[in-house]
Amino acid sequence: MSGYRSIVQAKRSSSARSVSPWLRLLVHRHDQVEPWDLSDSLLGYQQADRQGPPFSSWGATLKLPSRSRLLAALEGLSDDDWVEVSVSLGGPQGDFLPLQLGPLDSIRAKMQVAGGTEEWVLSLRGRSWAKVLTDTTVSTWQRLSSAGLDAGSIFSPEEANEISSRLAAVASSGERTADLLADLLTYILRFQWALPPSLLARGFGTGRTLADVMWFLGPPAVSTGGASEVDGVVWRGLSMIGGVRGTLWQLLSSFQNDPALVELWPGWTLEEASCRLRPVLIFRKRPFSAEDWGNLSRQQIALDRVSALDLGKGGLERFNVALVSPAIAGADFESAVLATADGPCFVSTEEQRGILRHGTRGWFLTDSQSPPDLDPLEQAQRLTRWLVAAYLETPDLLNGSIEVVGQALPPTVLGNRVALRDTSGRDLLEFYCEGLDTSFEVGDDGERTWQQVLSVTRGRALENA
């Protein structure tokens, strides 16, 4: 546990540098040309960012000065108005870091009596742009009869066949699955999810809808992390999507391989020049091989900003026998391979991780994405080698949580590396971030507090620690 000792023994400043957190919350209404700034009324704000549904959700509590102001909020706000949230740790005049941009889910008003006086409280709840994916209905069997052809995410059979043909030809045509998914998103969303005028006026580009505004520099971004479509990890050869009827997220999820092999979630990119969030669909191999790990961005966290650590290890994902079988190989493939002495099945004889110490711990996956023209044995060898290289050390790596105060982390830290750095500028431990919880509170005395908690895995000591 040398990495953990380096944290315990590292020099820390006596206290974290003082900060003056200020949260800016703007509501962009569809029927107004100016945003409604509710920053002065905030009592609290919480946000949870994850790689799985609901992905990114948030809630805000506001204290309004009068009953009339509360009623105006109830009447003036609607679900799917858009909310933009950012934070400054230098007060209202400091530099702001974006935290959230997405549609409202609900608006609730509450009256409560405190100290003999009435208090009027407004609660807002919402999600990130992920709501567009999880709530949009997609169908290939019907059209919106009264809305015309240029409305909604409704495919004709001809359009579905065209998309299916492109999917089936990915391996031979050289078209990237990422580009195909980007075109698919653009097509489905081109006539829906309009953005409010006050949001459009803030430099998000020209157009009206999410598809042609948020991604105005090109098609909606789909990041594969450099993965090849024919490596059997992110490739999808669907013969037909003509029977789709569900949500857009369900359609996109049909492209996903086993979650141990592939990550798929709606995330963000952060434009440094404008300091603005733009959506990106993350669709990539799990970045746990040495090459993919090195390509992830790294966020440094000063150790004197860490208020709590909860780290440990416990045999997570331990295995010493493994095989990834292509679905195209047939039901008897796994049995045949296990009976073959020189087959692609991995069996560990290493003392630290082997069967003698830990018993037989098998991990058997089915690769559902392999192109049909690949040799099943070669594909099993390639994918099993990749699985072993990516996960064999996992039981020896740290996982847990890191509580941070006095430093603001953007939601783009999700799915990337974070490193704990001591006061001398030395990086001690490095982790993979799978979750970020953000909390902002205003106390009865007006004191503002700011805290973020990272959920981390794959922690390891760095060589220079």
Side-chain angles (χ1 to χ4, degrees), residues 101-426:
L101 179 63
L104 269 170
D105 278 333
S106 65
I107 308 101
R108 298 192 67 84
K110 181 173 65 173
M111 187 276 288
Q112 58 191 27
V113 177
T117 60
E118 293 182 347
E119 291 184 350
W120 301 94
V121 178
L122 182 70
S123 296
L124 305 178
R125 298 289 183 268
R127 284 172 279 171
S128 72
W129 79 280
K131 180 178 180 179
V132 172
L133 303 182
T134 58
D135 287 26
T136 299
T137 300
V138 179
S139 174
T140 56
W141 292 116
Q142 61 185 29
R143 281 192 175 274
L144 299 176
S145 57
S146 61
L149 298 183
D150 294 336
S153 46
I154 311 298
F155 294 104
S156 68
E158 293 77 16
E159 291 164 337
N161 288 336
E162 178 185 353
I163 295 171
S164 297
S165 298
R166 289 176 63 188
L167 283 167
V170 162
S172 59
S173 69
E175 181 176 21
R176 284 166 32 92
T177 302
D179 295 335
L180 178 57
L181 289 182
D183 289 346
L184 185 63
L185 279 173
T186 301
Y187 177 84
I188 290 175
L189 297 174
R190 69 197 188 284
F191 297 119
Q192 52 186 317
W193 290 102
L195 297 181
S198 59
L199 191 57
L200 298 176
R202 293 174 64 82
F204 277 92
T206 59
R208 188 185 180 196
T209 68
L210 178 73
D212 57 22
V213 173
M214 295 292 289
W215 297 300
F216 73 101
L217 296 177
V222 178
S223 172
T224 63
S228 166
E229 276 66 37
V230 296
D231 65 4
V233 176
V234 300
W235 190 89
R236 177 67 174 179
L238 292 177
S239 60
M240 187 180 76
I241 64 169
V244 172
R245 180 176 293 168
T247 67
L248 178 53
W249 177 248
Q250 288 171 330
L251 173 61
L252 293 173
S253 298
S254 69
F255 291 82
Q256 186 178 11
N257 208 330
D258 190 289
L261 304 175
V262 173
E263 295 179 332
L264 177 67
W265 87 92
W268 300 102
T269 57
L270 181 62
E271 292 183 350
E272 294 185 3
S274 63
C275 197
R276 176 174 292 137
L277 293 174
R278 291 195 180 277
V280 58
L281 184 69
I282 308 295
F283 179 62
R284 68 187 185 193
K285 289 187 295 183
R286 294 280 276 174
F288 299 153
S289 65
E291 180 181 358
D292 294 333
W293 182 261
N295 290 331
L296 296 177
S297 65
R298 181 198 284 181
Q299 171 78 52
Q300 275 85 20
I301 299 174
L303 190 57
D304 62 0
R305 305 297 181 87
V306 174
S307 57
L309 282 172
D310 184 359
L311 302 173
K313 61 179 184 177
L316 181 67
E317 293 173 339
R318 179 176 298 282
F319 66 94
N320 44 44
V321 178
L323 177 65
V324 183
S325 304
I328 57 175
D332 297 331
F333 178 79
E334 183 175 302
S335 298
V337 166
L338 291 175
T340 304
D342 58 349
C345 184
F346 166 79
V347 179
S348 174
T349 58
E350 181 185 4
E351 181 181 356
Q352 180 181 353
R353 301 183 177 91
I355 294 174
L356 182 61
R357 176 180 295 189
H358 297 286
T360 303
R361 309 284 280 273
W363 198 3
F364 303 104
L365 301 179
T366 298
D367 162 42
S368 62
Q369 314 292 55
S370 294
D373 56 347
L374 292 182
D375 179 84
L377 192 62
E378 293 180 0
Q379 186 69 343
Q381 290 173 330
R382 176 164 51 205
L383 293 181
T384 302
R385 284 196 301 266
W386 181 89
L387 184 74
V388 171
Y391 285 98
L392 188 60
E393 294 183 353
T394 301
D396 302 318
L397 303 179
L398 297 173
N399 63 85
S401 62
I402 303 172
E403 183 179 298
V404 181
V405 295
Q407 182 174 346
L409 302 172
T412 52
V413 72
L414 202 69
N416 281 301
R417 296 178 293 167
V418 294
L420 295 181
R421 172 170 289 186
D422 67 11
T423 54
S424 66
R426 184 178 53 154

